[in-house]
Amino acid sequence: MRWRRSRHATNHGKRATRTDAFYGADTSVRGAFNELDGSITVDAEKPDRSRVELTLKVASIDTRNPDRDQHLRTNDFFDAPRFPEITFVGNRVDQVDEGHFIVSGDVTIRGITKEISIPIDFMGVERDPMGNLRAGFEGSRRINRQDFGLR
C-alpha cells in the first residue's frame, strides 16, 4: 500500500518537519521546513520491502525569525540557491515490534549523502471526511550538521 503526504495535512503531519537548526556557537533553535513532500510504500507482509521518500524545501525553513531564516538559507548554512532540497530515501524498514519500525536510508543535505536510521512509530489509520484512508507515522533523528558541511 502506498501512502502519500497530503498537501492539506493537519499540523499532525507537520511534526515530521520539526528540526533543531543550530545557530551560533552555543544556541539551539527550533524550527520547521514548511514545504515538504513524501510517500511511504508499505509491504505489510514483508516490511523490509517497504520504502520511504521525503523531500524538504530548504527555502521553507521557519524558525519564527525572518532574519535568521534568511541567514540559514545562505551558503553559511544550507545554501538554498545551490541545494534547494533535503532528501531522505529509506530503502530498508525493519519491524522492531508491533507498530514500531527502524527506517534506514540515505539523507542528502548540501549534496552530501549519509546513511541514517530513524525509529518510526505507526500511529494508526483513519478515514478523512472525504472517505480517504490516512495513515499516521512519527519519528525523529538527530544528525550532526557538520557532517553535511553546515557550520
Side-chain angles (χ1 to χ4, degrees), residues 39-57:
S39 64
I40 300 172
T41 303
V42 177
D43 186 329
E45 297 298 317
K46 296 184 180 181
D48 60 318
R49 292 187 181 172
S50 299
R51 184 173 174 86
V52 177
E53 296 178 11
L54 180 64
T55 301
L56 307 173
K57 299 292 185 184

Side-chain angles (χ1 to χ4, degrees), residues 29 35 67 69 79 82 87 104 114-115 117 120 133 146:
V29 176
E35 293 180 37
D67 291 335
D69 296 344
D79 198 359
R82 284 185 54 214
T87 61
S104 300
K114 304 278 184 182
E115 185 174 359
S117 295
I120 301 288
L133 280 177
Q146 295 173 339

Side-chain angles (χ1 to χ4, degrees), residues 38-121:
S39 64
I40 300 172
T41 303
V42 177
D43 186 329
E45 297 298 317
K46 296 184 180 181
D48 60 318
R49 292 187 181 172
S50 299
R51 184 173 174 86
V52 177
E53 296 178 11
L54 180 64
T55 301
L56 307 173
K57 299 292 185 184
V58 172
S60 74
I61 193 163
D62 181 3
T63 65
R64 298 188 178 189
N65 180 319
D67 291 335
R68 178 176 45 227
D69 296 344
Q70 188 56 40
H71 189 204
L72 289 169
R73 292 179 189 111
T74 70
N75 65 355
D76 285 346
F77 290 93
F78 290 105
D79 198 359
R82 284 185 54 214
F83 304 103
E85 297 178 338
I86 295 171
T87 61
F88 175 73
V89 177
N91 50 22
R92 182 171 155 202
V93 178
D94 295 310
Q95 187 166 3
V96 177
D97 57 40
E98 187 68 29
H100 304 281
F101 303 87
I102 302 290
V103 178
S104 300
D106 294 326
V107 64
T108 302
I109 302 172
R110 285 184 60 119
I112 299 170
T113 302
K114 304 278 184 182
E115 185 174 359
I116 64 170
S117 295
I118 305 171
I120 301 288
D121 294 327

